[in-house]
């Protein structure tokens, strides 16, 4: 495992932060960490990269304890709220961080990364004159400087325009192709959905769901079926398969436990003699986790 | 650590405060030079009468110079760590294969190098101005060398205190703490010297002298200044500025110098320790 946490806890004066986090992130996967603002996402990432000291539990990153200097050389990190020395140019920032990573002859790598994040031609400008989006691009380039085995990206697209967001997604996919592990912190479901293999959802400091993205997307999903007038006994039959069935006017809302139940639901409706006028998958957010949190919004 | 030293040193050139201090320095040296020129022209030609006055002017010049250097130290180091933490710069720096104590020491050596160069410039500037404008004082090489070392040691002690404050509190908090400690040391030094002058008249002033010693224990910069004075203005075992408010009746002992060195190392250790434990 690239990241393993065991009841990892970081609280501020006994409040906030994240509590009892148990996570395992495998090598080469893009792991999404999703939750509303203030849920504890950044606290966990900052604890994993050694910026915050845990108040409980333990963790290993790249097989080493938190903050271990040997692991740090293989980690890239794009913080959420950061700044670079504004008296430096973009190029100087890259050189400074390359020196901190002790990268020998970094010129080629620097120019390759500046090209990748779309900052070529701006590298000689002072960072103070960079827009927020440009700073975020520079941050991404710095995070990738050491060709890290593990990259933490904390809200990497928060300051980017739609084109920039697509570019970052491409970079993440490319990292995955190269076998890198990416830990993506985001409050945007759409962002996580598009690139992540597995996700964990955090709310009020605790993980409320974790697993394969496809499974979570369907967990406790609701189908809606426009059925006109349902045949007698249909609802009772559906209740045997589904978790919950509700009829409102001519719309049946059926909550299913798993994806595999959907064909069966359709079959029962058809066999009952009720012609379904329309069946729609009400796939939207990680079912139970979302509903349990009681804060259903697509973007947390 | 070399990287942090290099970039900290470079960063100093980009601080507006440095240019403000340089401007202040040039203004000060000009006014001081003009003042001593006028004074020295009016002094009697007899060396025995003029010598204490030359020494007085030099020590006053160095005293104010040490205040300017202290000002530079506080404004450049109170936020050396805390401001980078507050702005988010430190988040990207510390997630690198570098120990936190290396960042603290890198800042110390980077700022310390600049402050030392500046201190030496001021020290030799004052000496040069006095010699060039007519002060008939003869210093041996060892007097000037040891005096210069002691002069640049003062800001390094203050720097270690500032870094400790910066490692564990906000920039404002660290600045206030450093200025207050430096102020204690200055006032403590005067109180101790006043105590010494009173005791010369045959009256006991142990309380005043002890108060000065306690202030020196809290921040030994003033004791180092007085040691520098005694190094510069002693000849054949006679110390010319013993009865001067800025001089040193009770010259700091070797033990006090040892204490000051230990104090600086301890402050740096505390800075490294506090920073290692700080949540970023």
């Amino acid at each position: 495992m690239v990241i393993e946490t065991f009841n990892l806890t970081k609280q501020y004066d006994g409040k906030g932060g994240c509590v009892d986090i148990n996570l395992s992130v495998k090598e080469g996967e893009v792991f999404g960490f999703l939750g509303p603002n203030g849920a504890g996402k950044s606290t966990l990432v900052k604890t994993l990269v050694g910026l915050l000291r845990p108040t409980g539990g333990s963790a290993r990153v790249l097989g080493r304890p938190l903050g271990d200097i040997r692991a740090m050389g293989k980690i890239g990190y794009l913080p959420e709220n950061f700044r670079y020395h504004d008296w430096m140019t973009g190029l100087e920032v890259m050189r400074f961080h390359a020196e901190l990573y002790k990268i020998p002859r970094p010129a080629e790598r620097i120019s390759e990364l500046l090209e990748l994040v779309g900052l070529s031609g701006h590298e000689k400008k002072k960072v103070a004159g960079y827009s927020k989006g440009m700073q975020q691009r520079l941050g991404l380039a710095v995070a990738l400087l050491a060709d890290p085995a593990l990259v933490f990206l904390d809200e990497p697209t928060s300051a980017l325009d739609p084109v920039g967001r697509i570019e970052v997604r491409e970079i993440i996919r490319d990292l995955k192709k190269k076998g890198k592990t990416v830990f993506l912190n985001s409050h945007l479901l759409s962002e996580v959905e598009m690139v992540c293999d597995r996700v964990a959802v955090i709310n009020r400091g605790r993980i409320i769901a974790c697993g394969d993205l496809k499974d979570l997307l369907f967990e406790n999903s609701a189908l809606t079926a426009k059925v006109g007038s349902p045949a007698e006994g249909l609802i009772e039959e559906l209740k045997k398969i589904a978790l919950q069935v509700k009829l409102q006017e001519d719309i049946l809302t059926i909550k299913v436990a798993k994806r595999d139940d959907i064909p069966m639901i359709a079959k029962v409706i058809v066999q009952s003699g009720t012609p379904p006028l329309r069946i729609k998958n009400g796939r939207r957010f990680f079912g139970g986790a979302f509903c349990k949190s009681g804060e259903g919004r697509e973007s947390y | 650590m070399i990287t942090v030293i290099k970039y900290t040193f470079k960063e100093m050139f980009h601080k507006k405060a440095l240019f403000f201090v340089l401007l202040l320095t040039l203004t000060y040296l000009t006014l001081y030079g003009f003042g001593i020129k006028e004074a020295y022209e009016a002094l009697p030609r007899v060396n025995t009468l003029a010598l204490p006055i030359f020494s007085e002017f030099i020590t006053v010049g160095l005293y104010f110079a040490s205040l300017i250097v202290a000002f530079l130290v506080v404004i450049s180091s109170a936020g050396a760590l805390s401001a980078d933490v507050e702005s988010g710069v430190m988040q990207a720096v510390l997630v690198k294969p570098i120990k936190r104590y290396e960042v603290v020491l890198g800042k110390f050596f980077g700022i310390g190098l600049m402050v030392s160069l500046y201190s030496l410039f001021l020290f030799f500037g004052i000496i040069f101005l006095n010699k060039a404008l007519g002060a008939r004082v003869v210093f041996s090489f060892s007097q000037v060398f040891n005096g210069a070392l002691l002069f640049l040691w003062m800001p390094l002690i203050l720097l270690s205190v500032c870094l400790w404050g910066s490692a564990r509190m906000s920039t404002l908090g660290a600045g206030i703490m450093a200025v207050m400690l430096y102020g204690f040391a200055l006032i403590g030094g005067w109180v101790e010297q006043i105590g010494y002058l009173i005791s010369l008249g045959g009256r006991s002033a142990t309380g005043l002298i002890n108060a000065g010693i306690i202030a020196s224990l809290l921040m030994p910069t003033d004791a180092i200044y007085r040691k520098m004075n005694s190094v510069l203005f002693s000849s054949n075992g006679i110390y010319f500025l013993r009865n001067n408010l800025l001089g040193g009746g009770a010259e700091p002992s070797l033990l006090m110098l040892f204490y000051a060195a230990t104090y600086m190392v301890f402050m740096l250790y505390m800075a490294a320790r506090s920073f290692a434990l700080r949540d970023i």
Side-chain angles (χ1 to χ4, degrees):
Chain A
M1 288 293 167
V2 172
I3 302 172
E4 276 182 298
T5 69
F6 311 97
N7 294 323
L8 188 65
T9 300
K10 172 62 192 179
Q11 291 202 290
Y12 307 95
D13 299 324
K15 287 178 267 175
C18 54
V19 182
D20 289 335
I21 304 293
N22 290 294
L23 279 181
S24 296
V25 178
K26 288 177 272 182
E27 190 179 350
E29 75 175 337
V30 180
F31 189 88
F33 199 54
L34 194 62
N37 293 326
K41 301 188 300 293
S42 293
T43 297
L44 178 70
V45 170
K46 285 167 91 176
T47 307
L48 290 174
V49 297
L51 291 173
L52 298 177
R53 290 161 54 82
T55 49
S58 63
R60 292 183 82 79
V61 174
L62 294 168
R64 313 227 41 109
L66 295 180
D68 185 275
I69 206 155
R70 276 166 288 187
M72 300 316 271
K74 297 175 194 161
I75 288 176
Y77 171 50
L78 170 65
E80 183 187 10
N81 298 312
F82 69 100
R83 245 183 55 192
Y84 290 121
H85 299 97
D86 53 13
W87 54 272
M88 288 188 193
T89 63
L91 187 61
E92 283 171 329
V93 167
M94 294 291 281
R95 282 182 185 150
F96 171 57
H97 287 272
E99 280 185 46
L100 288 175
Y101 273 122
K102 300 177 181 73
I103 301 172
R105 292 180 296 281
E108 201 180 320
R109 177 77 181 148
I110 288 173
S111 93
E112 180 191 316
L113 284 170
L114 287 171
E115 181 72 42
L116 179 74
V117 299
L119 282 181
S120 282
H122 300 281
E123 69 269 30
K124 288 186 180 159
K125 288 181 190 160
K126 287 260 162 64
V127 171
Y130 277 22
S131 68
K132 207 155 179 275
M134 286 165 84
Q135 292 216 22
Q136 200 152 32
R137 285 166 187 267
L138 182 63
L140 188 58
V142 169
L144 302 177
L145 248 177
D147 193 21
L150 169 62
V151 188
F152 288 94
L153 303 174
D154 196 350
E155 305 284 2
T157 59
S158 59
L160 299 181
D161 54 28
V163 177
R165 288 176 184 215
I166 292 168
E167 286 170 359
V168 169
R169 258 179 246 142
E170 284 309 311
I171 290 171
I172 293 172
R173 286 191 187 113
D174 195 47
L175 287 170
K176 184 178 161 58
K177 270 185 218 156
K178 288 176 181 163
K180 311 289 182 189
T181 309
V182 180
F183 192 100
L184 174 65
N185 234 8
S186 180
H187 69 284
L188 295 171
L189 171 61
S190 54
E191 188 171 275
V192 170
E193 269 187 288
M194 277 186 243
V195 288
C196 293
D197 305 311
R198 289 197 311 132
V199 292
V201 185
I202 187 171
N203 195 26
R204 293 182 187 140
R206 290 180 187 273
I207 290 195
I208 52 174
C210 182
D212 190 85
L213 181 63
K214 286 175 198 141
D215 292 342
L216 282 175
L217 279 170
F218 248 89
E219 186 192 311
N220 291 335
S221 243
L223 295 178
T224 52
K226 190 174 166 71
V227 289
S229 47
E232 205 182 309
L234 172 63
I235 292 173
E236 283 67 33
E237 279 302 308
L238 287 173
K239 278 183 178 170
K240 288 177 191 168
I241 313 161
L243 295 172
Q244 196 183 48
V245 182
K246 260 193 334 197
L247 177 67
Q248 229 169 3
E249 294 179 2
D250 59 348
I251 304 285
L252 270 171
T253 305
I254 308 149
K255 258 191 180 178
V256 290
K258 54 187 192 295
R259 188 187 189 124
D260 298 345
D261 292 340
I262 293 170
M264 183 61 76
I265 297 278
K267 195 174 165 190
V268 168
I269 294 172
V270 173
Q271 281 181 347
S272 72
T274 309
L277 303 173
R278 189 184 72 214
I279 293 182
K280 198 175 160 194
N281 174 12
R283 181 189 85 114
R284 260 300 40 117
F285 187 51
F286 307 161
F290 187 62
C291 298
K292 275 179 241 161
S293 75
E295 293 181 23
R297 300 186 293 272
E298 193 207 324
S299 161
Y300 273 121
Chain B
M1 187 165 72
I2 301 292
T3 305
V4 181
I5 295 173
K6 195 168 90 181
Y7 282 87
T8 303
F9 187 73
K10 272 178 89 174
E11 188 177 13
M12 292 284 285
F13 288 99
H14 294 271
K15 285 187 187 283
K16 283 182 189 144
L18 182 71
F19 292 97
F20 175 67
V21 171
L22 282 176
L23 200 68
L24 192 71
T25 305
L26 290 176
T27 312
Y28 166 61
L29 289 177
T30 309
L31 288 173
Y32 178 73
F34 179 75
I36 57 172
K37 183 175 176 293
E38 293 292 309
Y40 291 170
E41 279 171 4
L43 279 181
R45 294 280 147 201
V46 186
N47 239 2
T48 46
L49 292 174
L51 195 58
I53 299 171
F54 292 140
S55 309
E56 293 278 359
F57 273 110
I58 295 173
T59 194
V60 166
L62 291 174
Y63 192 76
F64 190 73
S66 72
L67 293 181
I68 298 179
V69 177
F71 176 64
L72 175 67
V73 169
V74 173
I75 57 172
S76 59
S77 63
L81 299 165
S82 53
D84 282 357
V85 172
E86 287 155 15
S87 67
V89 165
M90 204 53 91
Q91 286 191 40
V93 172
L94 293 180
V95 185
K96 299 285 182 298
I98 184 168
K99 298 260 188 199
R100 290 197 187 186
Y101 76 81
E102 291 180 80
V103 174
V104 174
L105 290 180
K107 293 276 182 184
F108 177 77
F109 289 118
I111 299 170
L113 182 61
M114 170 64 81
V115 166
S116 298
L117 291 173
Y118 180 71
S119 298
L120 290 177
F121 167 73
L122 263 179
F123 179 85
F124 287 107
I126 297 285
I127 301 285
F128 172 78
L129 268 179
N130 276 278
K131 294 288 280 179
L133 295 171
R136 295 185 294 279
V137 184
V138 179
F139 292 118
S140 68
F141 173 77
S142 68
Q143 276 177 309
V144 175
F145 182 76
N146 291 335
L149 284 184
L150 287 164
F151 188 78
L152 67 85
W153 188 9
M154 283 184 284
L156 295 181
I157 293 172
L158 182 60
L159 174 60
S160 67
V161 173
C162 285
L163 283 178
W164 175 53
S166 192
R168 60 171 298 134
M169 54 182 93
S170 69
T171 303
L172 187 65
I176 290 172
M177 183 196 71
V179 168
M180 285 187 75
L181 280 174
Y182 192 75
F184 282 152
L186 285 186
I187 293 166
W190 294 342
V191 167
E192 188 179 354
Q193 187 64 6
I194 290 167
Y196 171 76
L197 294 174
I198 290 171
S199 69
L200 285 181
R203 294 175 60 191
S204 168
T206 322
L208 289 176
I209 292 171
N210 285 343
I213 292 170
I214 291 168
S216 289
L217 292 175
L218 283 174
M219 169 67 99
T221 47
D222 200 73
I224 302 300
Y225 175 79
R226 284 164 204 280
K227 183 69 186 172
M228 179 206 71
N229 261 341
S230 77
V231 164
L232 276 179
F233 301 110
S234 292
S235 180
N236 296 323
I238 302 165
Y239 176 30
F240 299 121
L241 291 175
R242 198 172 287 278
N243 298 338
N244 174 296
L245 192 61
L246 301 179
E251 185 190 329
S253 61
L254 271 178
L255 194 62
M256 178 49 95
L257 296 186
F258 177 74
Y259 173 79
T262 312
Y263 178 95
M264 188 174 81
V265 173
F266 180 70
M267 282 296 159
L268 277 178
Y269 165 75
M270 289 303 289
R273 192 169 179 275
S274 297
F275 196 56
L277 297 175
R278 183 168 180 166
D279 279 342
I280 307 296

